[in-house]
Amino acid sequence: MANISIRNVSKSYGALNVLRPFSLEIEDGEFVVLVGPSGCGKSTMLKILAGLEPASEGQIFIGEREVTDLSPGDRDIAMVFQNYALYPHLTVRQNIGFGLKMRGTDKAELDRRVDDAARILEVTPYLDRKPKDLSGGQRQRVALGRAIVRQPQAFLMDEPLSNLDAKLRVHMRAEIGALHKRIGVTTVYVTHDQVEAMTMADRVVIMQGGIIQQIAAPDELFNNPANLFVAGFIGSPGMNFLNADLTAGRLTAFGQQMELTRAANHHGPVIVGVRPEHLTLNDAPVTFGVRPTLVESLGSEKYVYFDTEGARIADGEDGKTKGLIARVSHSGPLPRQEELRLGFDPAHLYLFDARTGARL
Ligand SMILES: Nc1ncnc2c1ncn2[C@@H]1O[C@H](COP(=O)(O)OP(=O)(O)OP(=O)(O)O)[C@@H](O)[C@H]1O
Ligand SMILES: [Mg+2]
């Protein structure tokens, strides 16, 4: 096991800048998740860590050792990718032991390590089966087995669960978490799924366009997003945004005026963020009327969709107004009236600079 130090690593393909200078210190035994939208450079970073792609600039250390120019085989890491490609003609035992066998590990040692890995991953009953006779989850465990028998300094995983159906993904997510607790190997895990990132990580690295937006523990990211991008990326349903005006601590939003003690020096347009769960049907310091466009019932809670002045146009996607969502605790049907009163506590509002997206 080892810590990993990524120092000012950048990557360009010709004129295309895929990673801006990227620095990250990963502690020994830590589970770090790189998350971000498609194309933001997650896999590129992982490939550079693995030695499958050269960095354009910068250095990588695993433990005390600089590995920047070492080949993948000399880095003492194990990788698990989305397409885990087991050898179809080999048994589970042979698949798990394949890498060790190639390295000339002696038979007794090889058997012992494969048996250990199989026990940890609970695939012992299937050791003599071929991959085609396994379920998707069992195959994924065999792929993990191939990584853990090597007893590497670190695991690198690139969307290892994305081929599994939703239910199995949730199950394997918990299994990988439990595995990490048991063997404690430093892990860098890539996903575009914010829920996976939030549930698995000790720390999450949020990336956009090859740039780190924030590095923080899951709760910290959720409660204290550094900017508009992070605020919108983390949370489901996502944070509501609306254009508003803030002048000398006086905010106008949802058709209401309120005094804020924060950002007293700001004058002009801001983007206000509020999480759906912070909008309530109960009494609140600020309330406003809405005409719901849709109400979805999830049993003990409801999603109330509505539009309001200033509701922010979704960036890019279909260019349509993204309706706002209130996630309210309420069992039974909502009163059959055209207008509902929603409320919030201004302390729960997030404020962002309308120009830079930085948190105010
Ligand atoms: N060999 C290559 N040559 C040129 N451009 C590349 C190459 N590999 C990746 N890219 C580009 O680099 C950017 C980052 O790619 P990368 O695979 O790291 O994204 P990602 O964050 O893993 O996305 P996804 O979630 O879709 O897997 C993309 O714009 C991609 O098109
Ligand atoms: Mg990728």
Side-chain angles (χ1 to χ4, degrees):
M1 293 200 285
N3 61 315
I4 297 175
S5 174
I6 302 171
R7 303 185 189 168
N8 287 311
V9 166
S10 64
K11 177 74 182 174
S12 305
Y13 291 106
L16 181 68
N17 245 326
V18 175
L19 288 176
R20 307 306 170 96
F22 189 111
S23 294
L24 177 63
E25 297 293 328
I26 300 170
E27 284 172 36
D28 188 7
E30 203 177 12
F31 197 113
V32 165
V33 176
L34 308 183
V35 68
S38 186
C40 72
K42 307 178 294 291
S43 296
T44 303
M45 187 63 244
L46 211 66
K47 284 184 209 153
I48 292 172
L49 267 181
L52 298 170
E53 278 287 343
S56 300
E57 276 174 76
Q59 292 173 297
I60 294 171
F61 289 78
I62 298 179
E64 299 298 300
R65 218 157 52 109
E66 179 170 5
V67 301
T68 317
D69 299 317
L70 297 186
S71 65
D74 294 328
R75 293 191 180 201
D76 201 8
I77 42 154
M79 288 168 279
V80 182
F81 290 110
Q82 173 182 352
N83 299 313
Y84 37 84
L86 302 176
Y87 299 108
H89 57 291
L90 300 183
T91 63
V92 168
R93 173 179 290 286
Q94 290 165 331
N95 264 288
I96 294 178
F98 189 80
L100 293 182
K101 189 164 179 209
M102 288 293 108
R103 287 164 177 233
T105 310
D106 75 60
K107 172 93 169 70
E109 171 73 5
L110 189 150
D111 282 344
R112 190 183 62 74
R113 288 220 224 161
V114 171
D115 286 334
D116 278 354
R119 204 176 45 250
I120 290 170
L121 293 163
E122 296 172 12
V123 295
T124 308
Y126 323 119
L127 278 171
D128 297 320
R129 289 199 200 166
K130 300 274 175 63
K132 70 170 172 40
D133 301 324
L134 300 176
S135 72
Q138 290 162 347
R139 276 182 224 154
Q140 188 54 274
R141 275 186 256 160
V142 175
L144 289 169
R146 283 202 306 207
I148 68 177
V149 276
R150 306 227 340 250
Q151 302 178 338
Q153 300 264 36
F155 290 139
L156 306 182
M157 304 192 188
D158 192 349
E159 312 233 13
L161 306 183
S162 57
N163 276 348
L164 306 178
D165 67 45
K167 202 169 158 208
L168 197 50
R169 211 155 54 219
V170 171
H171 179 71
M172 287 304 297
R173 186 166 93 195
E175 285 205 2
I176 291 178
L179 176 69
H180 179 256
K181 278 218 171 61
R182 235 172 303 153
I183 62 178
V185 175
T186 313
T187 303
V188 185
Y189 185 105
V190 162
T191 180
H192 62 268
D193 179 348
Q194 58 109 0
V195 178
E196 237 169 75
M198 294 293 277
T199 52
M200 299 178 84
D202 291 321
R203 278 191 306 156
V204 180
V205 178
I206 299 204
M207 299 168 58
Q208 186 198 25
I211 298 172
I212 295 180
Q213 301 293 315
Q214 190 168 1
I215 304 174
D219 284 347
E220 176 68 11
L221 273 189
F222 186 82
N223 295 321
N224 276 316
N227 58 38
L228 200 58
F229 178 78
V230 174
F233 194 78
I234 298 293
S236 176
M239 190 183 281
N240 294 302
F241 294 119
L242 61 159
N243 294 309
D245 188 72
L246 176 67
T247 298
R250 178 165 281 274
L251 179 74
T252 308
F254 296 104
Q256 311 293 315
Q257 287 212 345
M258 59 208 94
E259 298 285 344
L260 298 182
T261 47
R262 293 171 283 162
N265 297 328
H266 188 93
H267 292 272
V270 289
I271 293 168
V272 171
V274 60
R275 293 214 179 269
E277 53 274 32
H278 286 150
L279 294 173
T280 170
L281 285 172
N282 303 327
D283 216 18
V286 178
T287 64
F288 58 101
V290 299
R291 287 169 189 275
T293 52
L294 178 69
V295 176
E296 286 176 344
S297 180
L298 285 84
S300 63
E301 57 178 25
K302 297 196 163 37
Y303 291 172
V304 178
Y305 294 77
F306 61 99
D307 280 316
T308 190
E309 195 185 319
R312 193 152 175 268
I313 307 296
D315 286 332
E317 292 168 37
D318 55 5
K320 288 204 190 102
T321 308
K322 186 176 122 220
L324 302 186
I325 304 181
R327 178 179 178 178
V328 298
S329 301
H330 190 86
S331 45
L334 287 177
R336 277 184 153 278
Q337 59 200 31
E338 292 245 302
E339 191 174 281
L340 286 177
R341 274 210 96 66
L342 290 174
F344 59 90
D345 181 340
H348 285 143
L349 297 182
Y350 292 85
L351 298 172
F352 304 94
D353 186 307
R355 200 168 41 81
T356 64
R359 175 101 173 270
L360 292 175

